[in-house]
């Protein structure tokens, strides 16, 4: 295929923000800043040949061209989308300096910026007090929460639902604490009766409630879990890595629109012991931005260490003193800060971005419920829609084959659509659809994460496209 070479500033890269202009300004600002320090000659060892740069950059561009088009409405697969151009601008402008938020010595300006965005996240959840910081992502953020949980309740285990992120079991292994998997109900939420029985053993010191599972976007009943845990002096950590920003939709919307998510679990987060949220998922940020927040600032004692290399410039606490990671990009904090200046943590700000995808998911669920060739796996609680093709024989093996084949046909079509599959066990399937024939242990179902608000105006077209793919395949099931 002939590759069209992009010319700089051919068109505004993303809607209303002319990124080519703004990146040019970021470079200009940076150059003006460096000039304040007088001449700074470069060593020849770092100079590069422009022609070789052109060749290498062309090769890189070609390689990146092999990516899935996460930005496009035809991509309705995994939880992936590009950052907001404002986040890119904040990131690049700051990265040119390359501050390190481990210590005030490394990132005096961006450490202050990080404290501000962390306070905004805590306020979004309604936390009255907090201690927190950004992290490289949700996995490390959860590790920190479980580390603190272990220090608070030595010798006791951690309970998480069977649908929680796989890293909880792994991190328990790493921390040397027993991990207990709790059964889920027919919507993939933690079964509170099963939790109550487990807590009665006295072996559990901390419960992880997932507010938005990675697979189906199920929200554990945080309020019910909290009541059970508090009665026994057990900690509650909320893994809201994916779902956290949906708390903005628990309030009334503009024009009298009611809450778009059940408010009860979200309101309870304010009273939990810790919460993790990933701005690099629904906060419009590039990868490398998670966050952990603790309700009790006194947990900082568990991080105590000294660093002979850093921590000189100030008597103020350094972020590295309350964090397991050492070096961390100050540019991540700056990117989030700039984004939240433009799209604040309100129902009308960032909330409006999530609302688009949430309404699209509700609409698609209605369309799927009425579709002849497709079936809804379960109603979406957030913006993740799960579905499967109707097959001649309602068996797991036919559903599995037809779903996977539909995804492949979609990718290969001239007018492609990119979906993804998730694997569910036979028990999870029959909990929702008791009439399926269980002829294998699990089945792939189709899963579309509608993270982009643009889906709101595109969901009918997306449904029509997927329905057509299902119809194409229905003659082929069993033949292939
Ligand atoms: C994505 C996710 C994680 C892991 O976060 P990373 O940022 O990928 O490290 C943990 N828990 C949940 C619920 C998630 O969705």
């Amino acid at each position: 295929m002939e590759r069209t070479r992009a010319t700089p500033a051919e068109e505004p890269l993303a809607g209303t923000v002319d990124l080519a202009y703004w990146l040019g300004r970021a470079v200009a600002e940076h150059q003006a800043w460096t000039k304040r320090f007088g001449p700074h000659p470069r060593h020849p060892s770092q100079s590069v040949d422009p022609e070789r740069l052109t060749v290498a950059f062309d090769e890189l561009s070609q390689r990146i061209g092999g990516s899935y088009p996460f930005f496009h409405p035809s991509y309705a697969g995994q939880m992936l989308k590009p950052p907001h151009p404002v986040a890119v601008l904040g990131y690049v402008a700051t990265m040119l300096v390359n501050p390190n938020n481990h210590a005030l010595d490394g990132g005096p300006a961006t450490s202050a910026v990080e404290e501000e965005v962390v306070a905004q996240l805590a306020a979004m959840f309604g936390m009255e007090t907090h201690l927190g910081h950004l992290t490289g992502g949700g996995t490390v953020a959860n590790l920190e929460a479980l580390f603190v949980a272990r220090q608070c309740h030595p010798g006791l285990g951690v309970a998480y639902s069977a649908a929680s992120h796989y890293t909880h079991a792994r991190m328990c292994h790493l921390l040397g604490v027993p991990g207990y998997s709790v059964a889920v109900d027919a919507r993939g939420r933690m079964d509170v009766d099963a939790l109550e029985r487990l807590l009665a053993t006295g072996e559990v010191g901390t419960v992880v409630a997932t507010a938005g599972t990675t697979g189906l976007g199920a929200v554990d009943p945080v309020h019910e879990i909290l009541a059970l845990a508090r009665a026994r002096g057990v900690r509650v950590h909320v893994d809201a890595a994916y779902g956290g920003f949906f708390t903005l939709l628990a309030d009334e919307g503009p024009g009298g629109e009611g809450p778009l998510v059940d408010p009860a679990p979200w309101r309870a987060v304010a009273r939990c012991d810790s919460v993790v949220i990933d701005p690099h998922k629904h906060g419009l940020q590039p990868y490398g931005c998670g966050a952990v927040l603790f309700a009790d600032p006194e947990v900082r004692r568990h991080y105590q260490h000294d660093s002979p290399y850093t921590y000189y410039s100030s008597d103020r606490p350094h972020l590295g003193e309350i964090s397991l990671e050492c070096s961390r990009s100050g540019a991540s904090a700056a990117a989030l800060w700039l984004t939240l200046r433009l799209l604040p943590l309100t129902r009308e700000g960032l909330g409006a971005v999530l609302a688009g995808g949430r309404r699209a998911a509700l609409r698609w669920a209605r369309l799927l419920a009425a579709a002849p060739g497709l079936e809804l796996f379960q109603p979406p609680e957030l913006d993740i829609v799960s579905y499967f093709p109707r097959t001649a024989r309602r068996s797991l093996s036919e559903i599995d084959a037809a779903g996977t084949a539909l995804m492949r046909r979609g990718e290969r079509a001239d007018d492609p659509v990119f979906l993804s599959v998730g694997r569910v066990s036979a028990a999870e399937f029959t909990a929702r659809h008791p009439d399926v024939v269980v002829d294998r242990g699990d089945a792939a179902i189709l899963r579309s994460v509608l993270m982009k608000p643009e889906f709101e105006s595109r969901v009918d077209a997306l449904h029509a496209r997927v329905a057509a793919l299902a119809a194409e395949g229905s003659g082929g099931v069993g033949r292939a």
Side-chain angles (χ1 to χ4, degrees):
M1 211 189 356
E2 223 358 59
R3 216 165 62 83
T4 48
R5 164 86 61 91
T7 52
E10 202 170 65
E11 54 174 329
L13 285 179
T16 53
V17 180
D18 182 349
L19 198 50
Y21 165 77
W22 282 106
L23 289 180
R25 262 201 73 175
V27 172
E29 289 290 345
H30 178 69
Q31 283 172 349
W33 176 72
T34 59
K35 287 211 171 73
R36 288 185 4 208
F37 301 90
H40 58 297
R42 298 285 182 147
H43 191 272
S45 63
Q46 296 196 82
S47 63
V48 297
D49 172 46
E51 266 167 43
R52 281 175 59 204
L53 173 60
T54 304
V55 170
F57 185 74
D58 280 353
E59 186 181 333
L60 178 67
S61 302
Q62 187 134 24
R63 287 187 171 203
I64 298 170
S67 308
Y68 289 102
F70 306 132
F71 70 96
H72 197 268
S74 66
Y75 185 87
Q78 310 279 13
M79 38 185 70
L80 296 157
K81 66 171 178 179
H84 193 283
V86 165
V88 175
L89 172 63
Y91 198 100
V92 172
T94 313
M95 188 183 59
L96 292 169
V97 178
N98 207 22
N100 185 335
N101 273 14
H102 163 68
L104 290 161
D105 314 58
T110 46
S111 291
V113 160
E114 177 164 333
E115 282 166 2
E116 287 179 33
V117 291
V118 166
Q120 289 174 52
L121 293 172
M124 176 181 75
F125 287 119
M127 297 169 84
E128 279 173 16
T129 55
H130 75 275
L131 178 79
H133 60 88
L134 300 180
T135 63
T139 303
V140 183
N142 277 314
L143 170 65
E144 294 206 14
L146 296 188
F147 160 71
V148 167
R150 184 192 71 180
Q151 300 310 100
C152 292
H153 288 307
L156 293 176
V158 173
Y160 37 78
S161 93
S164 69
H165 199 267
Y166 73 91
T167 48
H168 291 293
R170 174 185 277 184
M171 292 309 172
C172 283
H173 177 65
L174 186 69
L175 291 166
V177 302
Y180 300 93
S181 176
V182 181
V184 290
D185 69 10
R187 294 282 175 84
R189 299 169 297 207
M190 184 180 277
D191 177 339
V192 282
D193 293 330
L195 176 66
E196 190 166 22
R197 287 192 295 277
L198 176 64
L199 294 187
T201 64
E203 304 284 334
V204 171
T206 301
V207 182
V208 177
T210 304
T213 58
T214 318
L216 296 169
V219 180
D220 285 349
V222 183
H223 49 305
E224 293 170 26
I225 292 168
L226 187 66
L228 285 180
R230 286 291 178 257
R232 293 183 178 276
V234 165
R235 283 178 73 84
V236 178
H237 167 60
V238 182
D239 180 1
Y242 183 70
F245 291 104
F246 281 93
T247 193
L248 296 170
L249 305 189
D251 291 330
E252 304 273 306
E257 186 184 29
L260 285 169
V261 296
D262 176 6
W266 296 107
R267 301 251 190 272
V269 175
R271 287 175 288 124
C272 293
D273 297 291
S274 53
V275 56
V276 156
I277 182 167
D278 261 356
H280 70 200
K281 278 184 181 152
H282 253 305
L284 307 172
Q285 299 307 296
Y287 285 117
C289 194
V292 61
L293 308 168
F294 296 96
D296 177 9
E298 294 304 312
V299 302
R300 70 161 63 243
R301 69 184 179 278
H302 299 302
Y303 287 94
Q304 240 162 37
H305 67 283
D306 194 18
S307 162
Y309 329 104
T310 51
Y311 304 160
Y312 286 109
S313 64
S314 165
D315 294 333
R316 276 178 59 210
H318 304 261
L319 287 162
E321 291 179 275
I322 51 157
S323 141
L324 291 185
E325 284 172 285
C326 182
S327 293
R328 240 169 2 82
S329 149
S332 289
L336 183 56
W337 185 91
L338 192 65
T339 308
L340 297 184
R341 282 294 293 266
L342 280 302
L343 293 162
L345 296 175
T346 59
R347 176 69 179 72
E348 294 74 21
L350 184 62
V353 178
L354 281 94
R358 172 65 183 142
R359 285 194 217 98
L362 288 169
R363 165 116 187 114
W364 200 7
R366 282 197 298 278
L367 294 172
L368 284 162
L374 292 160
E375 228 174 302
L376 190 63
F377 181 68
Q378 75 166 42
E381 264 188 86
L382 302 179
D383 58 358
I384 303 177
V385 182
S386 51
Y387 50 101
F388 56 95
R390 284 186 205 273
T391 49
R393 186 164 172 265
R394 246 174 110 68
S395 65
L396 290 185
S397 58
E398 284 204 6
I399 290 167
D400 179 84
T404 311
L406 189 157
M407 180 184 74
R408 298 261 174 269
R409 273 199 307 284
E411 269 180 32
R412 284 197 224 105
D414 291 334
D415 167 23
V417 58
F418 301 93
L419 310 171
S420 67
V421 293
R423 198 150 283 287
V424 296
S425 69
E428 286 173 282
F429 216 112
T430 54
R432 292 154 178 90
H433 304 276
D435 59 323
V436 294
V437 177
V438 176
D439 58 355
R440 50 178 283 160
D442 59 12
I445 57 166
L446 292 155
R447 174 173 160 274
S448 288
V449 184
L450 304 184
M451 289 184 95
K452 299 183 286 277
E454 289 79 14
F455 279 121
E456 193 172 3
S457 60
R458 297 295 295 251
V459 71
D460 286 50
L462 176 63
H463 174 69
R465 191 75 192 81
V466 177
L469 285 166
E472 261 172 50
S474 62
V477 172
R479 252 202 287 139

